[in-house]
PDB file of all heavy atoms in Angstrom:
ATOM      1  N   PHE A 606      89.923   0.920  54.101  1.00  0.00           N
ATOM      2  CA  PHE A 606      88.553   0.446  54.141  1.00  0.00           C
ATOM      3  C   PHE A 606      87.531   1.536  53.854  1.00  0.00           C
ATOM      4  O   PHE A 606      86.361   1.305  53.943  1.00  0.00           O
ATOM      5  CB  PHE A 606      88.254  -0.162  55.527  1.00  0.00           C
ATOM      6  CG  PHE A 606      89.137  -1.335  55.851  1.00  0.00           C
ATOM      7  CD1 PHE A 606      89.990  -1.294  56.941  1.00  0.00           C
ATOM      8  CD2 PHE A 606      89.140  -2.457  55.060  1.00  0.00           C
ATOM      9  CE1 PHE A 606      90.804  -2.368  57.230  1.00  0.00           C
ATOM     10  CE2 PHE A 606      89.957  -3.533  55.340  1.00  0.00           C
ATOM     11  CZ  PHE A 606      90.789  -3.484  56.442  1.00  0.00           C
ATOM     12  N   PHE A 608      85.032   3.965  51.984  1.00  0.00           N
ATOM     13  CA  PHE A 608      84.198   3.712  50.817  1.00  0.00           C
ATOM     14  C   PHE A 608      84.648   4.584  49.659  1.00  0.00           C
ATOM     15  O   PHE A 608      84.890   5.763  49.811  1.00  0.00           O
ATOM     16  CB  PHE A 608      82.739   4.011  51.156  1.00  0.00           C
ATOM     17  CG  PHE A 608      81.808   3.726  50.015  1.00  0.00           C
ATOM     18  CD1 PHE A 608      81.660   2.449  49.525  1.00  0.00           C
ATOM     19  CD2 PHE A 608      81.083   4.743  49.427  1.00  0.00           C
ATOM     20  CE1 PHE A 608      80.813   2.174  48.470  1.00  0.00           C
ATOM     21  CE2 PHE A 608      80.225   4.485  48.379  1.00  0.00           C
ATOM     22  CZ  PHE A 608      80.084   3.199  47.895  1.00  0.00           C
ATOM     23  N   TRP A 613      81.127   2.622  42.145  1.00  0.00           N
ATOM     24  CA  TRP A 613      79.687   2.712  41.950  1.00  0.00           C
ATOM     25  C   TRP A 613      79.367   3.617  40.771  1.00  0.00           C
ATOM     26  O   TRP A 613      78.479   3.320  39.971  1.00  0.00           O
ATOM     27  CB  TRP A 613      79.019   3.239  43.234  1.00  0.00           C
ATOM     28  CG  TRP A 613      77.538   3.133  43.190  1.00  0.00           C
ATOM     29  CD1 TRP A 613      76.791   2.102  42.688  1.00  0.00           C
ATOM     30  CD2 TRP A 613      76.609   4.095  43.646  1.00  0.00           C
ATOM     31  NE1 TRP A 613      75.458   2.363  42.828  1.00  0.00           N
ATOM     32  CE2 TRP A 613      75.320   3.573  43.413  1.00  0.00           C
ATOM     33  CE3 TRP A 613      76.717   5.349  44.252  1.00  0.00           C
ATOM     34  CZ2 TRP A 613      74.151   4.270  43.737  1.00  0.00           C
ATOM     35  CZ3 TRP A 613      75.556   6.024  44.593  1.00  0.00           C
ATOM     36  CH2 TRP A 613      74.293   5.498  44.331  1.00  0.00           C
ATOM     37  N   LEU A 616      79.734   1.653  37.635  1.00  0.00           N
ATOM     38  CA  LEU A 616      78.613   0.770  37.324  1.00  0.00           C
ATOM     39  C   LEU A 616      77.397   1.558  36.871  1.00  0.00           C
ATOM     40  O   LEU A 616      76.693   1.157  35.939  1.00  0.00           O
ATOM     41  CB  LEU A 616      78.257  -0.062  38.554  1.00  0.00           C
ATOM     42  CG  LEU A 616      79.245  -1.174  38.840  1.00  0.00           C
ATOM     43  CD1 LEU A 616      79.070  -1.667  40.254  1.00  0.00           C
ATOM     44  CD2 LEU A 616      79.072  -2.309  37.871  1.00  0.00           C
ATOM     45  N   GLN A 617      77.150   2.689  37.533  1.00  0.00           N
ATOM     46  CA  GLN A 617      76.013   3.521  37.142  1.00  0.00           C
ATOM     47  C   GLN A 617      76.150   3.976  35.702  1.00  0.00           C
ATOM     48  O   GLN A 617      75.209   3.915  34.918  1.00  0.00           O
ATOM     49  CB  GLN A 617      75.950   4.771  38.027  1.00  0.00           C
ATOM     50  CG  GLN A 617      75.451   4.532  39.417  1.00  0.00           C
ATOM     51  CD  GLN A 617      75.258   5.848  40.127  1.00  0.00           C
ATOM     52  OE1 GLN A 617      74.512   6.696  39.674  1.00  0.00           O
ATOM     53  NE2 GLN A 617      75.933   6.037  41.225  1.00  0.00           N
ATOM     54  N   MET A 627      69.985   1.399  24.115  1.00  0.00           N
ATOM     55  CA  MET A 627      68.701   0.778  23.770  1.00  0.00           C
ATOM     56  C   MET A 627      67.710   1.833  23.294  1.00  0.00           C
ATOM     57  O   MET A 627      67.012   1.655  22.305  1.00  0.00           O
ATOM     58  CB  MET A 627      68.128   0.090  25.000  1.00  0.00           C
ATOM     59  CG  MET A 627      69.012  -1.000  25.519  1.00  0.00           C
ATOM     60  SD  MET A 627      68.092  -2.487  25.712  1.00  0.00           S
ATOM     61  CE  MET A 627      69.307  -3.675  25.341  1.00  0.00           C
ATOM     62  N   ILE A 631      65.828   2.366  19.516  1.00  0.00           N
ATOM     63  CA  ILE A 631      64.385   2.541  19.318  1.00  0.00           C
ATOM     64  C   ILE A 631      64.106   3.833  18.578  1.00  0.00           C
ATOM     65  O   ILE A 631      63.226   3.898  17.712  1.00  0.00           O
ATOM     66  CB  ILE A 631      63.672   2.582  20.683  1.00  0.00           C
ATOM     67  CG1 ILE A 631      63.929   1.305  21.455  1.00  0.00           C
ATOM     68  CG2 ILE A 631      62.203   2.879  20.504  1.00  0.00           C
ATOM     69  CD1 ILE A 631      62.801   0.380  21.520  1.00  0.00           C
ATOM     70  N   TRP A 634      63.309   4.776  14.753  1.00  0.00           N
ATOM     71  CA  TRP A 634      61.997   4.781  14.134  1.00  0.00           C
ATOM     72  C   TRP A 634      61.246   6.082  14.385  1.00  0.00           C
ATOM     73  O   TRP A 634      60.165   6.282  13.900  1.00  0.00           O
ATOM     74  CB  TRP A 634      61.179   3.602  14.659  1.00  0.00           C
ATOM     75  CG  TRP A 634      61.551   2.316  13.982  1.00  0.00           C
ATOM     76  CD1 TRP A 634      60.989   1.799  12.862  1.00  0.00           C
ATOM     77  CD2 TRP A 634      62.587   1.423  14.359  1.00  0.00           C
ATOM     78  NE1 TRP A 634      61.598   0.617  12.529  1.00  0.00           N
ATOM     79  CE2 TRP A 634      62.591   0.364  13.430  1.00  0.00           C
ATOM     80  CE3 TRP A 634      63.532   1.388  15.402  1.00  0.00           C
ATOM     81  CZ2 TRP A 634      63.479  -0.707  13.500  1.00  0.00           C
ATOM     82  CZ3 TRP A 634      64.419   0.338  15.481  1.00  0.00           C
ATOM     83  CH2 TRP A 634      64.384  -0.702  14.521  1.00  0.00           C
ATOM     84  N   TYR A 635      61.837   6.925  15.194  1.00  0.00           N
ATOM     85  CA  TYR A 635      61.199   8.207  15.480  1.00  0.00           C
ATOM     86  C   TYR A 635      61.539   9.179  14.358  1.00  0.00           C
ATOM     87  O   TYR A 635      62.449   8.959  13.572  1.00  0.00           O
ATOM     88  CB  TYR A 635      61.707   8.737  16.830  1.00  0.00           C
ATOM     89  CG  TYR A 635      60.971   8.207  18.036  1.00  0.00           C
ATOM     90  CD1 TYR A 635      60.845   6.844  18.245  1.00  0.00           C
ATOM     91  CD2 TYR A 635      60.391   9.055  18.963  1.00  0.00           C
ATOM     92  CE1 TYR A 635      60.180   6.351  19.350  1.00  0.00           C
ATOM     93  CE2 TYR A 635      59.723   8.581  20.071  1.00  0.00           C
ATOM     94  CZ  TYR A 635      59.624   7.223  20.259  1.00  0.00           C
ATOM     95  OH  TYR A 635      58.962   6.744  21.350  1.00  0.00           O
ATOM     96  N   ALA A 689      61.855  10.731  23.854  1.00  0.00           N
ATOM     97  CA  ALA A 689      61.476   9.957  25.034  1.00  0.00           C
ATOM     98  C   ALA A 689      62.286   8.698  25.313  1.00  0.00           C
ATOM     99  O   ALA A 689      62.629   8.440  26.457  1.00  0.00           O
ATOM    100  CB  ALA A 689      59.993   9.610  24.954  1.00  0.00           C
ATOM    101  N   HIS A 692      65.217   9.093  27.625  1.00  0.00           N
ATOM    102  CA  HIS A 692      65.088   9.841  28.866  1.00  0.00           C
ATOM    103  C   HIS A 692      65.584   9.103  30.088  1.00  0.00           C
ATOM    104  O   HIS A 692      66.265   9.674  30.944  1.00  0.00           O
ATOM    105  CB  HIS A 692      63.616  10.233  29.099  1.00  0.00           C
ATOM    106  CG  HIS A 692      63.185  11.407  28.295  1.00  0.00           C
ATOM    107  ND1 HIS A 692      61.907  11.901  28.298  1.00  0.00           N
ATOM    108  CD2 HIS A 692      63.879  12.197  27.440  1.00  0.00           C
ATOM    109  CE1 HIS A 692      61.841  12.938  27.488  1.00  0.00           C
ATOM    110  NE2 HIS A 692      63.026  13.145  26.962  1.00  0.00           N
ATOM    111  N   THR A 693      65.209   7.826  30.197  1.00  0.00           N
ATOM    112  CA  THR A 693      65.627   7.088  31.388  1.00  0.00           C
ATOM    113  C   THR A 693      67.150   6.962  31.437  1.00  0.00           C
ATOM    114  O   THR A 693      67.768   7.163  32.487  1.00  0.00           O
ATOM    115  CB  THR A 693      65.010   5.687  31.396  1.00  0.00           C
ATOM    116  OG1 THR A 693      63.648   5.802  31.025  1.00  0.00           O
ATOM    117  CG2 THR A 693      65.137   5.047  32.741  1.00  0.00           C
ATOM    118  N   LEU A 696      68.631  10.153  32.602  1.00  0.00           N
ATOM    119  CA  LEU A 696      68.482  10.363  34.042  1.00  0.00           C
ATOM    120  C   LEU A 696      69.535   9.573  34.802  1.00  0.00           C
ATOM    121  O   LEU A 696      70.164  10.067  35.745  1.00  0.00           O
ATOM    122  CB  LEU A 696      67.073   9.947  34.476  1.00  0.00           C
ATOM    123  CG  LEU A 696      66.777  10.028  35.965  1.00  0.00           C
ATOM    124  CD1 LEU A 696      66.890  11.458  36.451  1.00  0.00           C
ATOM    125  CD2 LEU A 696      65.380   9.497  36.258  1.00  0.00           C
ATOM    126  N   ALA A 725      87.708  -5.717  48.978  1.00  0.00           N
ATOM    127  CA  ALA A 725      87.869  -6.054  50.395  1.00  0.00           C
ATOM    128  C   ALA A 725      86.638  -6.815  50.878  1.00  0.00           C
ATOM    129  O   ALA A 725      85.570  -6.724  50.292  1.00  0.00           O
ATOM    130  CB  ALA A 725      88.027  -4.760  51.197  1.00  0.00           C
ATOM    131  N   ARG A 726      86.793  -7.558  51.978  1.00  0.00           N
ATOM    132  CA  ARG A 726      85.668  -8.296  52.530  1.00  0.00           C
ATOM    133  C   ARG A 726      85.224  -7.644  53.831  1.00  0.00           C
ATOM    134  O   ARG A 726      85.994  -6.915  54.439  1.00  0.00           O
ATOM    135  CB  ARG A 726      86.070  -9.750  52.807  1.00  0.00           C
ATOM    136  CG  ARG A 726      85.995 -10.599  51.552  1.00  0.00           C
ATOM    137  CD  ARG A 726      86.781 -11.880  51.713  1.00  0.00           C
ATOM    138  NE  ARG A 726      88.188 -11.620  51.658  1.00  0.00           N
ATOM    139  CZ  ARG A 726      89.102 -12.386  52.260  1.00  0.00           C
ATOM    140  NH1 ARG A 726      88.734 -13.405  52.966  1.00  0.00           N
ATOM    141  NH2 ARG A 726      90.376 -12.108  52.174  1.00  0.00           N
ATOM    142  N   ALA A 727      84.025  -7.954  54.253  1.00  0.00           N
ATOM    143  CA  ALA A 727      83.510  -7.306  55.473  1.00  0.00           C
ATOM    144  C   ALA A 727      84.313  -7.777  56.658  1.00  0.00           C
ATOM    145  O   ALA A 727      83.998  -8.677  57.305  1.00  0.00           O
ATOM    146  CB  ALA A 727      82.039  -7.578  55.623  1.00  0.00           C
TER     147      ALA A 727
ATOM    148  N   ASN B 822      61.519  -1.121  26.365  1.00  0.00           N
ATOM    149  CA  ASN B 822      61.769  -0.657  25.001  1.00  0.00           C
ATOM    150  C   ASN B 822      60.603  -0.952  24.076  1.00  0.00           C
ATOM    151  O   ASN B 822      60.274  -0.141  23.206  1.00  0.00           O
ATOM    152  CB  ASN B 822      63.062  -1.270  24.483  1.00  0.00           C
ATOM    153  CG  ASN B 822      64.263  -0.633  25.150  1.00  0.00           C
ATOM    154  OD1 ASN B 822      64.494   0.551  25.010  1.00  0.00           O
ATOM    155  ND2 ASN B 822      64.991  -1.406  25.924  1.00  0.00           N
ATOM    156  N   TYR B 825      58.141   1.773  24.808  1.00  0.00           N
ATOM    157  CA  TYR B 825      58.495   3.068  24.203  1.00  0.00           C
ATOM    158  C   TYR B 825      58.061   3.103  22.748  1.00  0.00           C
ATOM    159  O   TYR B 825      57.569   4.104  22.244  1.00  0.00           O
ATOM    160  CB  TYR B 825      59.998   3.314  24.308  1.00  0.00           C
ATOM    161  CG  TYR B 825      60.475   3.693  25.683  1.00  0.00           C
ATOM    162  CD1 TYR B 825      61.822   3.627  26.009  1.00  0.00           C
ATOM    163  CD2 TYR B 825      59.601   4.138  26.656  1.00  0.00           C
ATOM    164  CE1 TYR B 825      62.277   3.980  27.260  1.00  0.00           C
ATOM    165  CE2 TYR B 825      60.042   4.485  27.916  1.00  0.00           C
ATOM    166  CZ  TYR B 825      61.388   4.407  28.209  1.00  0.00           C
ATOM    167  OH  TYR B 825      61.834   4.762  29.451  1.00  0.00           O
ATOM    168  N   PHE B 829      54.962   5.624  21.012  1.00  0.00           N
ATOM    169  CA  PHE B 829      55.131   6.397  19.794  1.00  0.00           C
ATOM    170  C   PHE B 829      54.017   6.062  18.806  1.00  0.00           C
ATOM    171  O   PHE B 829      53.413   6.944  18.188  1.00  0.00           O
ATOM    172  CB  PHE B 829      56.505   6.113  19.189  1.00  0.00           C
ATOM    173  CG  PHE B 829      56.772   6.844  17.927  1.00  0.00           C
ATOM    174  CD1 PHE B 829      56.794   8.223  17.898  1.00  0.00           C
ATOM    175  CD2 PHE B 829      56.988   6.158  16.738  1.00  0.00           C
ATOM    176  CE1 PHE B 829      57.030   8.910  16.729  1.00  0.00           C
ATOM    177  CE2 PHE B 829      57.245   6.841  15.568  1.00  0.00           C
ATOM    178  CZ  PHE B 829      57.263   8.216  15.559  1.00  0.00           C
ATOM    179  N   HIS B 846      54.021   8.350  28.652  1.00  0.00           N
ATOM    180  CA  HIS B 846      55.274   8.148  29.369  1.00  0.00           C
ATOM    181  C   HIS B 846      55.169   8.584  30.814  1.00  0.00           C
ATOM    182  O   HIS B 846      55.608   7.915  31.723  1.00  0.00           O
ATOM    183  CB  HIS B 846      56.369   9.033  28.735  1.00  0.00           C
ATOM    184  CG  HIS B 846      57.258   8.299  27.789  1.00  0.00           C
ATOM    185  ND1 HIS B 846      58.400   7.664  28.179  1.00  0.00           N
ATOM    186  CD2 HIS B 846      57.156   8.134  26.460  1.00  0.00           C
ATOM    187  CE1 HIS B 846      58.980   7.131  27.121  1.00  0.00           C
ATOM    188  NE2 HIS B 846      58.254   7.396  26.068  1.00  0.00           N
ATOM    189  N   TYR B 847      54.695   9.827  31.000  1.00  0.00           N
ATOM    190  CA  TYR B 847      54.858  10.451  32.314  1.00  0.00           C
ATOM    191  C   TYR B 847      53.576  10.748  33.054  1.00  0.00           C
ATOM    192  O   TYR B 847      53.602  11.026  34.236  1.00  0.00           O
ATOM    193  CB  TYR B 847      55.668  11.751  32.173  1.00  0.00           C
ATOM    194  CG  TYR B 847      57.068  11.489  31.676  1.00  0.00           C
ATOM    195  CD1 TYR B 847      57.521  12.023  30.478  1.00  0.00           C
ATOM    196  CD2 TYR B 847      57.938  10.673  32.396  1.00  0.00           C
ATOM    197  CE1 TYR B 847      58.801  11.763  30.031  1.00  0.00           C
ATOM    198  CE2 TYR B 847      59.212  10.405  31.945  1.00  0.00           C
ATOM    199  CZ  TYR B 847      59.627  10.953  30.757  1.00  0.00           C
ATOM    200  OH  TYR B 847      60.891  10.697  30.312  1.00  0.00           O
ATOM    201  N   LEU B 859      62.110   1.797  37.286  1.00  0.00           N
ATOM    202  CA  LEU B 859      63.328   1.678  36.496  1.00  0.00           C
ATOM    203  C   LEU B 859      64.501   2.352  37.204  1.00  0.00           C
ATOM    204  O   LEU B 859      65.602   1.790  37.304  1.00  0.00           O
ATOM    205  CB  LEU B 859      63.086   2.338  35.148  1.00  0.00           C
ATOM    206  CG  LEU B 859      63.785   1.807  33.922  1.00  0.00           C
ATOM    207  CD1 LEU B 859      63.616   0.320  33.806  1.00  0.00           C
ATOM    208  CD2 LEU B 859      63.233   2.479  32.686  1.00  0.00           C
ATOM    209  N   VAL B 860      64.245   3.532  37.740  1.00  0.00           N
ATOM    210  CA  VAL B 860      65.321   4.241  38.442  1.00  0.00           C
ATOM    211  C   VAL B 860      65.719   3.497  39.711  1.00  0.00           C
ATOM    212  O   VAL B 860      66.900   3.377  40.043  1.00  0.00           O
ATOM    213  CB  VAL B 860      64.875   5.687  38.763  1.00  0.00           C
ATOM    214  CG1 VAL B 860      65.907   6.378  39.609  1.00  0.00           C
ATOM    215  CG2 VAL B 860      64.654   6.460  37.487  1.00  0.00           C
ATOM    216  N   PHE B 863      67.829   0.699  38.796  1.00  0.00           N
ATOM    217  CA  PHE B 863      69.159   1.208  38.462  1.00  0.00           C
ATOM    218  C   PHE B 863      70.026   1.312  39.711  1.00  0.00           C
ATOM    219  O   PHE B 863      71.161   0.830  39.748  1.00  0.00           O
ATOM    220  CB  PHE B 863      68.989   2.565  37.783  1.00  0.00           C
ATOM    221  CG  PHE B 863      70.264   3.314  37.558  1.00  0.00           C
ATOM    222  CD1 PHE B 863      71.205   2.854  36.657  1.00  0.00           C
ATOM    223  CD2 PHE B 863      70.531   4.490  38.238  1.00  0.00           C
ATOM    224  CE1 PHE B 863      72.384   3.547  36.437  1.00  0.00           C
ATOM    225  CE2 PHE B 863      71.709   5.180  38.023  1.00  0.00           C
ATOM    226  CZ  PHE B 863      72.633   4.715  37.125  1.00  0.00           C
ATOM    227  N   SER B 867      73.070  -1.485  40.586  1.00  0.00           N
ATOM    228  CA  SER B 867      74.459  -1.018  40.542  1.00  0.00           C
ATOM    229  C   SER B 867      75.115  -1.111  41.915  1.00  0.00           C
ATOM    230  O   SER B 867      76.305  -1.362  42.009  1.00  0.00           O
ATOM    231  CB  SER B 867      74.534   0.410  39.998  1.00  0.00           C
ATOM    232  OG  SER B 867      73.770   1.280  40.795  1.00  0.00           O
ATOM    233  N   HIS B 875      81.026  -5.268  48.633  1.00  0.00           N
ATOM    234  CA  HIS B 875      82.098  -5.669  49.532  1.00  0.00           C
ATOM    235  C   HIS B 875      82.804  -4.480  50.163  1.00  0.00           C
ATOM    236  O   HIS B 875      83.360  -4.592  51.230  1.00  0.00           O
ATOM    237  CB  HIS B 875      83.114  -6.540  48.782  1.00  0.00           C
ATOM    238  CG  HIS B 875      82.613  -7.942  48.593  1.00  0.00           C
ATOM    239  ND1 HIS B 875      83.272  -8.882  47.859  1.00  0.00           N
ATOM    240  CD2 HIS B 875      81.509  -8.546  49.042  1.00  0.00           C
ATOM    241  CE1 HIS B 875      82.597 -10.009  47.870  1.00  0.00           C
ATOM    242  NE2 HIS B 875      81.526  -9.839  48.578  1.00  0.00           N
ATOM    243  N   ASN B 877      81.422  -1.433  50.861  1.00  0.00           N
ATOM    244  CA  ASN B 877      80.587  -0.749  51.842  1.00  0.00           C
ATOM    245  C   ASN B 877      79.247  -1.441  51.893  1.00  0.00           C
ATOM    246  O   ASN B 877      78.356  -1.151  51.112  1.00  0.00           O
ATOM    247  CB  ASN B 877      80.420   0.725  51.473  1.00  0.00           C
ATOM    248  CG  ASN B 877      79.711   1.503  52.568  1.00  0.00           C
ATOM    249  OD1 ASN B 877      78.986   0.932  53.376  1.00  0.00           O
ATOM    250  ND2 ASN B 877      79.928   2.798  52.604  1.00  0.00           N
ATOM    251  N   PHE B 880      75.915   0.550  52.381  1.00  0.00           N
ATOM    252  CA  PHE B 880      75.428   1.229  51.186  1.00  0.00           C
ATOM    253  C   PHE B 880      74.553   0.285  50.378  1.00  0.00           C
ATOM    254  O   PHE B 880      73.458   0.635  49.952  1.00  0.00           O
ATOM    255  CB  PHE B 880      76.639   1.662  50.363  1.00  0.00           C
ATOM    256  CG  PHE B 880      76.310   2.670  49.332  1.00  0.00           C
ATOM    257  CD1 PHE B 880      76.040   3.973  49.685  1.00  0.00           C
ATOM    258  CD2 PHE B 880      76.268   2.327  48.002  1.00  0.00           C
ATOM    259  CE1 PHE B 880      75.727   4.907  48.742  1.00  0.00           C
ATOM    260  CE2 PHE B 880      75.962   3.253  47.053  1.00  0.00           C
ATOM    261  CZ  PHE B 880      75.688   4.542  47.407  1.00  0.00           C
ATOM    262  N   VAL B1006      89.039  -8.666  58.794  1.00  0.00           N
ATOM    263  CA  VAL B1006      89.450  -8.528  57.392  1.00  0.00           C
ATOM    264  C   VAL B1006      89.047  -7.186  56.797  1.00  0.00           C
ATOM    265  O   VAL B1006      89.819  -6.553  56.117  1.00  0.00           O
ATOM    266  CB  VAL B1006      88.819  -9.643  56.533  1.00  0.00           C
ATOM    267  CG1 VAL B1006      89.372  -9.588  55.134  1.00  0.00           C
ATOM    268  CG2 VAL B1006      89.092 -10.997  57.133  1.00  0.00           C
ATOM    269  N   GLY B1007      87.815  -6.747  57.036  1.00  0.00           N
ATOM    270  CA  GLY B1007      87.307  -5.550  56.366  1.00  0.00           C
ATOM    271  C   GLY B1007      86.892  -4.477  57.365  1.00  0.00           C
ATOM    272  O   GLY B1007      87.209  -4.527  58.540  1.00  0.00           O
ATOM    273  N   LYS B1011      87.047  -4.732  61.491  1.00  0.00           N
ATOM    274  CA  LYS B1011      88.107  -3.934  62.100  1.00  0.00           C
ATOM    275  C   LYS B1011      87.520  -3.031  63.185  1.00  0.00           C
ATOM    276  O   LYS B1011      88.069  -2.911  64.291  1.00  0.00           O
ATOM    277  CB  LYS B1011      88.772  -3.077  61.017  1.00  0.00           C
ATOM    278  CG  LYS B1011      90.046  -2.419  61.452  1.00  0.00           C
ATOM    279  CD  LYS B1011      90.778  -1.825  60.267  1.00  0.00           C
ATOM    280  CE  LYS B1011      91.952  -1.002  60.758  1.00  0.00           C
ATOM    281  NZ  LYS B1011      92.213   0.175  59.962  1.00  0.00           N
TER     282      LYS B1011
END
Side-chain angles (χ1 to χ4, degrees):
Chain A
F606 299 119
F608 182 63
W613 190 40
L616 286 163
Q617 285 188 58
M627 299 232 147
I631 301 254
W634 281 269
Y635 275 55
H692 281 177
T693 316
L696 177 62
R726 278 162 286 153
Chain B
N822 287 298
Y825 285 164
F829 179 62
H846 261 271
Y847 297 119
L859 212 50
V860 174
F863 171 68
S867 58
H875 283 174
N877 188 337
F880 196 73
V1006 187
K1011 192 169 172 215

